């Protein structure tokens, strides 16, 4: 009985995190490409895919080359010069620091809280102007 209660609590917590992740990604993606009605996304993290699949304007693609935006979690080997010409987000602060020449920003969890970062130089490179509500997350250096 205790195990069942624990599993139910874990499920509710996980579903809540996916919903929060969906809401944050909805805001981030529509800010990055505000005029697009259909954004092609490639993501390597299955949890992220769960959150993204219910965003109406998101279309999940199976190949990074076909994506408008890539969301990487651990696989930095995917970051070829061709891919770095696309908008790349990371779900790892460490990866953002390591690949700051390529990654536009990121959304990740730290100590149970969502964190959002955008790198000013890469936003400029992609001609992205964030709305006022996201400007607080722009960093000029890490």
């Amino acid at each position: 009985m205790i195990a069942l209660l624990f599993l139910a609590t874990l499920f509710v917590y996980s579903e809540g995190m996916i919903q929060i992740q969906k809401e944050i990604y909805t805001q981030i993606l529509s800010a990055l490409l505000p005029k697009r009605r259909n954004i092609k996304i490639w993501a390597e993290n299955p949890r992220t895919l769960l959150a993204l699949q219910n965003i109406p304007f998101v279309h999940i693609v199976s190949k990074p080359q076909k994506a408008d935006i890539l969301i990487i979690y651990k696989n930095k080997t995917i970051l070829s010069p061709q891919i770095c010409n696309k908008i790349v987000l990371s779900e790892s602060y460490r990866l953002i620091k390591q690949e700051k020449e390529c990654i536009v920003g990121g959304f990740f969890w730290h100590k149970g809280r969502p964190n959002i970062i955008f790198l000013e130089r890469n936003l400029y490179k992609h001609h992205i102007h964030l709305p006022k509500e996201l400007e607080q997350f722009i960093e000029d250096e890490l």
Side-chain angles (χ1 to χ4, degrees):
M1 184 64 166
I2 292 175
L4 186 60
L5 182 61
F6 175 75
L7 287 174
T9 303
L10 187 62
F11 177 75
V12 169
Y13 177 74
S14 177
E15 286 296 312
M17 297 258 304
I18 289 173
Q19 183 61 31
I20 292 168
Q21 192 174 8
K22 174 189 169 192
E23 291 170 14
I24 291 172
Y25 269 123
T26 299
Q27 188 172 8
I28 289 172
L29 298 173
S30 47
L32 291 173
L33 295 172
K35 295 179 180 166
R36 298 286 297 272
R37 292 182 178 215
N38 186 3
I39 301 174
K40 293 180 254 174
I41 306 285
W42 179 88
E44 70 173 295
N45 187 344
R47 255 195 132 117
T48 302
L49 289 169
L50 278 175
L52 294 172
Q53 71 185 9
N54 292 319
I55 299 174
F57 59 86
V58 167
H59 176 70
I60 306 294
V61 295
S62 59
K63 294 183 180 177
Q65 296 79 8
K66 294 183 178 185
D68 300 314
I69 298 176
L70 289 87
I71 303 173
I72 59 174
Y73 179 60
K74 293 181 181 178
N75 186 5
K76 69 180 182 179
T77 60
I78 199 163
L79 299 176
S80 67
Q82 177 190 12
I83 294 297
C84 287
N85 286 330
K86 296 179 178 283
I87 298 172
V88 179
L89 299 174
S90 175
E91 294 183 314
S92 162
Y93 181 76
R94 181 178 297 138
L95 194 55
I96 296 169
K97 282 189 79 162
Q98 290 173 352
E99 302 296 332
K100 60 186 169 194
E101 298 301 317
C102 181
I103 296 174
V104 171
F107 164 52
F108 53 92
W109 296 90
H110 181 70
K111 296 184 180 181
R113 288 182 282 201
N115 287 265
I116 301 169
I117 292 177
F118 295 103
L119 301 177
E120 186 174 35
R121 178 179 54 213
N122 294 341
L123 289 171
Y124 179 77
K125 180 176 98 177
H126 289 281
H127 309 286
I128 297 171
H129 302 282
L130 294 177
K132 292 252 186 261
E133 60 269 10
L134 292 179
E135 285 179 355
Q136 63 184 318
F137 304 113
I138 298 174
E139 302 282 335
D140 53 344
E141 283 298 320
L142 292 182

